[in-house]
Amino acid sequence: MNEQYVWSLHEVDETRTATFGGKAAHLGTLSRIEGVRVPAGFCVTTEAFRRIVAQAPSVGDLLDRLSHADPDDREAVRALSAQIRRTIEETAVPDDLAAAITRALARSGERAAYAVRSSATAEDMPTASFAGQHDTYLNVVGPTAVLRHISRCWASLFTERAVAYRRRNGIDHRTVHMAVVVQQMAFPQASGVLFTADPVTGNRKVATIDAAFGLGEALVSGLVNPDVLSVRDGRIVARKIAAKQRALTARPAGGTHEVAVHPEEQEQPALTDAQALRLVELGRRIEAHFGRPQDIEWCLVDDGFRIVQSRPITTLFPVPQRGDRDNRVYVSVGHAQMMTDPMKALGFSMWQLTAMVPMHEAGGRLFVDVTQRLASPASRAALLDALGKGDPLVRDALETVLDRDGFVPPLPRPAPGAGGPPPGGGGAPEPVETDPAIVADLIERSRASLAALERDIRTKSGPALFDFLPEAFEEHKRLLSDPLSMQAIMAGMEATWWLNDKLEDWLGEKNAADTLTLSAPGNITSQMGLALLDVADVIRPLPEVVAYLHDVQDDGFLEELAKLPGGPEARDAIEAYLDRYGMRCVGEIDITRPRWRECPGALVPVILDHVRTFAPGAAERRFELGRQKAHRKEQDVLARLRALPDGDRKADETRRMIDRVRTFIGYREYPKYAIVSRYFVYKQALMREAERLVKTGVLAEREDVFHLTFQELDDVVRSGRRVDPRLVRQRKDAYRAHLDLTPPRVLTSDGEALTGSYRREGVPAGALAGVAVSAGTVEGRARVVLDMADAELEPGDILVTAFTDPSWSPLFVRIAGLVTEVGGLMTHGAVIAREYGLPAVVGVERATRLIRDGQRIRVHGADGYIEILP
């Protein structure tokens, strides 16, 4: 049977993207939607492209070289891409293929004009649009010209920009093929782009139109400023009419050219209001068909719209799925937990099952629905206060939503507790007496519960494990919600706020608690950072061990380490550290992340830096210096207070609060440590189960279990049904796409993503505002670090990063200051910065992009801003 290389667009649909490419598949589907008009045409299939490549054997070798080229060697990539393009363009189109294309052209008349458009198999995908990566040619006249431009479209699969885009999205060059769409040319009065959701705010109810005179290429290429209209609920809610001085039009003999727009017409709207509303109505029909917001290219021809492309908008942050159409307001869990990266399916489902409040997943992140608490006047103020203390930008974003009439209608009467406590915290527990025995008792309870979990889970496997785990999760939640634990946490936090407020009021001193909490006892996270200095002390005098660690390439190094002189002592020191802290890692709220116990090599660079940078005994000296500094501060504050009117009362109250903060503030970090310790026990049991599933052929690879939800894994274990590899592949693709999304602090059911803003005075022009969390001013070299594994820090450097969870604390002992994009007064990075006496500003929007690695900056830890220095 002869291969059919040319198909009418009406025969093309989305079930055969591998044959027709993404653009043709969408156009074919569009052409069958009622009321949608698509210029007629045909598609030259990917089989034709494969045939051309097969005729040029050198392309295969060039592709191999391109796949193995260093992505940073732009000259090599550019040269190889150009060579592949040249080879394809110079390969003759076979006679039978040329004849089939010519016959298709003859149906419209030999001198008709056409648009010749690329349609790659990796194009207009839900996770990668490839917009503008491949070539389109307009107003191509005559069979010879059409054939030449089809070859150019094939070759455009290897433009330098398309090659880079594929590499960034993890797509193998050899798996992508090119079809070509040939359509009758439309000669529009106006054209442009319709977004069925606002591409800036993400609001799904607001459609945005960009419109200009003539052909749309002028708008896409940036030749003209378009009119911009926003449409909501059938009415135009915003418009900006541009002065359109130029337009792109078709030449009679083929090709396009720029023309000047008559001065009297330049500020005329490209579309009437009625046309704009009709276009949006058409866009909503297309959006409904595809089931997600669309980026639609359109032309206006004789007062009728032609749709020339529709692709998903891939940059929008997804909205949590729900069963009703009521307005909802969601707050990010990741911003409270200091982990805004996406989580894999097992990770977010486990967090949902062990959390104290219902959580909703979107874009691989978790959100809490706070709508009811905002709607009730009784709970709104407490919610805003609690969230504002954690992150002022969250509060500002919520207030922005509340300012919009009717989005959150007030409840007729209070609904206490509706919607649960805010993310990462509860209500306001009763105060607790200052007694160190309370903390000791809480820690002992937690340890006993963990020991019971480790003992009981050891004998469980298969369905019995999944019968047991829900009980373990209930105990997990019981520990989290222990009223005494909540009281102890709040006692430390409220004492901090009291000291800062009162001492600023009485003594004019800002953030006094930052010094008074230095080296507070019992902080498991700051102890973790200092304990690695003690490990370095063991290793420092062992030159063969140090040399060996410099060459460590994998995580199996501890066994070999013991064979070296001094190796057993070094191994024992690292093992002891892992026994206490090995359940931790970067992004530890996601159970799928590799723990230090699983990947101890992650700690080696930090240990070696400590060996090089610090003298023996640094941990003890550092802790003692902080304790003495806090003690001196306490004596100074109390003496100054006693000199004031009513000074004895003020001093006594302050001393009681200092005792309280030093008793309880360290415990603030322990519940997270307990959660992560339990998580590691769950993970070890689940990974044993994954290994069993691989052996029985149910699972292809052990780590595939990460891309199943807990509920799906439970079902697989009980049923023994093989996991569909397509589901795992789809989840992996979704996770990669989620990595490119920036989660908002606040998200509405309309899809609007809000980040909030700082509305305060006193920040110098050009400075970056944030939250003041640890007092002091420091100047130094900014080190922008996005991955802890890439940290190359010298003493005196200022760490600039997106977020820091407890796993980053070993780095804190050698930096001079901290800047993060996420965080608040009581988040982990802030607490540890105060413990170590590091000036710190957190919640600095886009800090890792606005501050360049190596720049000199000045951190104002008490005033909450960063200056970028010359």
Side-chain angles (χ1 to χ4, degrees):
M1 177 177 154
N2 291 332
E3 180 71 44
Q4 182 178 342
Y5 294 111
V6 177
W7 296 66
S8 164
L9 272 185
H10 286 290
E11 300 174 287
V12 173
D13 63 46
E14 287 186 293
T15 63
R16 297 183 61 190
T17 304
T19 300
F20 303 120
K23 186 178 293 167
H26 272 74
L27 287 168
T29 303
L30 282 166
S31 69
R32 289 190 292 280
I33 301 174
E34 188 179 347
V36 176
R37 297 168 71 184
V38 174
F42 58 88
C43 176
V44 182
T45 69
T46 55
E47 281 304 320
F49 170 79
R50 286 190 182 92
R51 195 170 157 193
I52 293 296
V53 170
Q55 284 180 214
S58 63
V59 170
D61 175 58
L62 291 167
L63 273 175
D64 285 339
R65 289 167 59 193
L66 182 63
S67 295
H68 293 102
D70 181 349
D72 295 327
D73 188 349
R74 295 188 62 180
E75 274 307 314
V77 171
R78 184 180 293 121
L80 286 165
S81 302
Q83 203 171 343
I84 294 171
R85 289 198 305 276
R86 199 161 49 246
T87 303
I88 291 172
E89 284 190 41
E90 290 171 357
T91 301
V93 179
D95 291 344
D96 62 321
L97 177 55
I101 294 168
T102 303
R103 282 196 300 274
L105 292 169
R107 296 185 195 116
S108 302
E110 210 159 274
R111 298 307 299 167
Y114 294 92
V116 182
R117 312 173 69 195
S118 305
S119 180
T121 51
E123 191 170 279
D124 294 351
M125 301 189 304
T127 56
S129 72
F130 277 83
Q133 303 305 314
H134 308 124
D135 290 345
T136 285
Y137 300 96
L138 301 179
N139 200 29
V140 180
V141 179
T144 303
V146 169
L147 286 167
R148 186 170 66 252
H149 285 87
I150 287 173
S151 292
R152 289 182 178 175
C153 282
W154 286 329
S156 76
L157 191 62
F158 299 100
T159 61
E160 190 182 348
R161 61 184 182 274
V163 166
Y165 193 91
R166 281 197 294 275
R167 192 187 292 272
R168 194 163 60 247
N169 283 277
I171 298 169
D172 187 337
H173 304 305
R174 287 164 293 201
T175 64
V176 183
H177 306 289
M178 180 69 82
V180 181
V181 177
V182 180
Q183 288 175 280
Q184 291 179 15
M185 185 68 191
F187 299 100
Q189 294 90 48
S191 54
V193 180
L194 163 66
F195 297 98
T196 63
D198 188 315
V200 177
T201 68
N203 195 320
R204 281 16 176 219
K205 291 188 176 177
V206 176
T208 303
I209 300 170
D210 287 6
F213 296 132
L215 294 166
E217 289 299 300
L219 189 154
V220 174
S221 65
L223 177 66
V224 298
N225 290 323
D227 297 343
V228 181
L229 294 89
S230 296
V231 177
R232 180 180 179 129
D233 299 330
R235 64 188 185 89
I236 295 170
V237 293
R239 83 177 76 229
K240 186 186 79 175
I241 305 302
K244 300 171 285 295
Q245 298 176 341
R246 315 286 295 170
L248 197 68
T249 63
R251 292 180 184 275
T256 61
H257 65 141
E258 285 180 44
V259 296
V261 176
H262 194 280
E264 291 179 6
E265 296 175 356
Q266 288 177 4
E267 297 196 19
Q268 291 294 313
L271 294 178
T272 66
D273 286 3
Q275 287 169 336
L277 296 177
R278 199 161 78 240
L279 176 60
V280 170
E281 193 179 317
L282 194 60
R284 293 290 180 216
R285 198 175 305 164
I286 294 168
E287 177 186 66
H289 180 88
F290 288 114
R292 59 180 298 167
Q294 296 288 300
D295 163 357
I296 299 167
E297 294 181 24
W298 56 269
C299 326
L300 179 66
V301 182
D302 300 329
D303 202 38
F305 287 104
R306 307 289 188 276
I307 303 302
V308 294
Q309 191 157 332
S310 183
R311 60 169 76 93
I313 306 175
T314 58
T315 55
L316 298 176
F317 198 87
V319 180
Q321 293 184 347
R322 64 196 203 283
D324 59 48
R325 300 181 66 82
D326 295 341
N327 288 348
R328 301 283 180 192
V329 183
Y330 303 97
V331 171
S332 166
V333 173
H335 285 79
Q337 290 294 334
M338 302 300 288
M339 210 291 276
T340 55
D341 289 347
M343 299 165 79
K344 297 187 177 82
L346 185 62
F348 65 68
S349 66
M350 285 287 286
W351 196 259
Q352 285 172 309
L353 287 166
T354 53
M356 293 305 303
V357 294
M359 293 187 177
H360 306 266
E361 183 272 336
R365 279 81 168 188
L366 290 170
F367 294 84
V368 172
D369 183 348
V370 296
T371 316
Q372 280 192 288
R373 296 198 74 198
L374 288 175
S376 165
S379 57
R380 182 189 307 138
L383 177 75
L384 291 174
D385 185 55
L387 292 176
K389 282 192 167 106
D391 185 339
L393 292 178
V394 171
R395 176 175 185 141
D396 184 78
L398 289 174
E399 287 175 337
T400 300
V401 175
L402 288 168
D403 286 344
R404 293 179 184 152
D405 290 343
F407 190 85
V408 181
L411 290 173
R413 59 182 180 276
E430 291 296 314
V432 66
E433 288 302 313
T434 303
D435 181 359
I438 292 172
V439 171
D441 179 54
L442 285 167
I443 290 173
E444 185 50 42
R445 284 193 224 172
S446 180
R447 285 175 178 161
S449 178
L450 179 65
L453 172 66
E454 290 172 330
R455 181 192 66 233
D456 295 344
I457 207 169
R458 213 169 282 137
T459 60
K460 306 291 190 294
S461 66
L465 174 64
F466 286 85
D467 290 336
F468 168 77
L469 282 171
E471 298 173 24
F473 297 161
E474 287 308 309
E475 167 66 4
H476 184 119
K477 289 193 271 192
R478 189 193 66 73
L479 285 168
L480 271 180
S481 61
D482 183 337
L484 187 61
S485 178
M486 296 298 297
Q487 288 169 342
I489 291 169
M490 290 308 297
M493 291 166 66
E494 287 173 350
T496 301
W497 299 329
W498 189 96
L499 287 166
N500 280 337
D501 290 346
K502 294 296 185 182
L503 295 181
E504 184 168 10
D505 185 29
W506 292 337
L507 299 176
E509 186 158 344
K510 276 186 178 181
N511 302 89
D514 294 0
T515 306
L516 294 166
T517 53
L518 285 171
S519 298
N523 187 315
I524 191 76
T525 307
S526 62
Q527 287 169 357
M528 179 173 72
L530 296 175
L532 208 58
L533 288 170
D534 292 334
V535 174
D537 284 354
V538 174
I539 290 170
R540 191 178 292 105
L542 307 171
E544 291 184 61
V545 168
V546 172
Y548 171 75
L549 290 178
H550 273 291
D551 293 328
V552 163
Q553 298 295 323
D554 58 51
D555 293 309
F557 67 92
L558 288 171
E559 195 174 322
E560 289 298 314
L561 179 63
K563 299 174 184 176
L564 300 171
E569 296 93 320
R571 182 199 58 193
D572 291 348
I574 295 172
E575 286 282 5
Y577 186 87
L578 291 172
D579 287 344
R580 186 145 170 76
Y581 304 111
M583 77 295 290
R584 309 216 84 151
C585 66
V586 175
E588 61 192 9
I589 70 169
D590 182 352
I591 199 171
T592 72
R593 293 289 189 102
R595 312 282 134 176
W596 288 341
R597 170 53 82 183
E598 297 168 313
C599 300
L603 293 172
V604 169
V606 186
I607 293 170
L608 290 172
D609 278 346
H610 287 356
V611 166
R612 178 175 57 85
T613 306
F614 292 97
E620 187 177 348
R621 273 198 312 280
R622 189 179 190 113
F623 186 83
E624 181 57 23
L625 283 170
R627 193 191 64 75
Q628 289 177 10
K629 193 172 179 182
H631 179 70
R632 287 196 299 271
K633 184 70 173 178
E634 178 180 356
Q635 298 305 307
D636 173 63
V637 162
L638 296 178
R640 288 159 63 198
L641 286 172
R642 288 192 182 101
L644 299 175
D646 198 18
D648 287 343
R649 178 189 64 79
K650 290 173 180 173
D652 287 346
E653 284 184 21
T654 300
R655 183 179 48 74
R656 282 198 301 274
M657 284 298 175
I658 292 172
D659 288 347
R660 177 166 293 193
V661 81
R662 291 193 68 80
T663 299
F664 293 116
I665 199 65
Y667 179 72
R668 164 76 179 79
E669 293 291 300
Y670 197 86
K672 181 73 171 286
Y673 173 80
I675 290 170
V676 175
S677 297
R678 293 182 71 89
Y679 258 49
F680 191 38
V681 177
Y682 305 148
K683 181 179 185 179
Q684 288 171 312
L686 292 174
M687 295 318 288
R688 287 193 294 271
E689 206 57 36
E691 285 165 4
R692 187 181 66 79
L693 293 174
V694 171
K695 284 176 185 170
T696 56
V698 172
L699 204 63
E701 294 179 13
R702 198 175 79 121
E703 279 71 26
D704 285 353
V705 78
F706 296 156
H707 297 285
L708 302 178
T709 66
F710 180 84
Q711 295 84 350
E712 289 166 344
L713 180 56
D714 185 347
D715 180 59
V716 165
V717 166
R718 294 181 193 279
S719 69
R721 283 194 302 270
R722 185 167 181 267
V723 174
D724 186 347
R726 289 173 301 179
L727 173 67
V728 173
R729 192 162 56 247
Q730 178 190 342
R731 294 271 173 81
K732 287 179 178 177
D733 289 344
Y735 176 74
R736 275 197 296 269
H738 293 157
L739 286 167
D740 290 333
L741 297 174
T742 301
R745 284 174 164 81
V746 171
L747 183 66
T748 73
S749 50
D750 284 354
E752 188 173 6
L754 298 106
T755 56
S757 60
Y758 295 107
R759 305 174 194 275
R760 68 170 194 255
E761 296 177 358
V763 177
L768 307 179
V771 183
V773 296
S774 185
T777 300
V778 66
E779 184 179 314
R781 179 179 64 161
R783 296 315 309 258
V784 179
V785 179
L786 300 179
D787 184 337
M788 183 177 155
D790 299 330
E792 294 182 5
L793 299 163
E794 298 289 338
D797 284 347
I798 297 169
L799 174 61
V800 180
T801 189
F803 58 82
T804 61
D805 61 11
S807 69
W808 288 69
S809 61
L811 299 183
F812 283 23
V813 298
R814 68 177 193 272
I815 59 174
L818 174 69
V819 178
T820 69
E821 294 180 339
V822 176
L825 191 63
M826 285 297 165
T827 46
H828 302 281
V831 171
I832 304 309
R834 290 195 292 275
E835 283 269 329
Y836 288 172
L838 299 174
V841 179
V842 302
V844 182
E845 274 291 288
R846 300 172 63 235
T848 60
R849 281 166 282 184
L850 296 173
I851 299 171
R852 292 197 311 276
D853 186 53
Q855 274 187 317
R856 288 196 69 76
I857 61 173
R858 187 179 295 128
V859 177
H860 295 264
D863 296 311
Y865 66 88
I866 294 96
E867 289 181 281
I868 298 175
L869 303 176

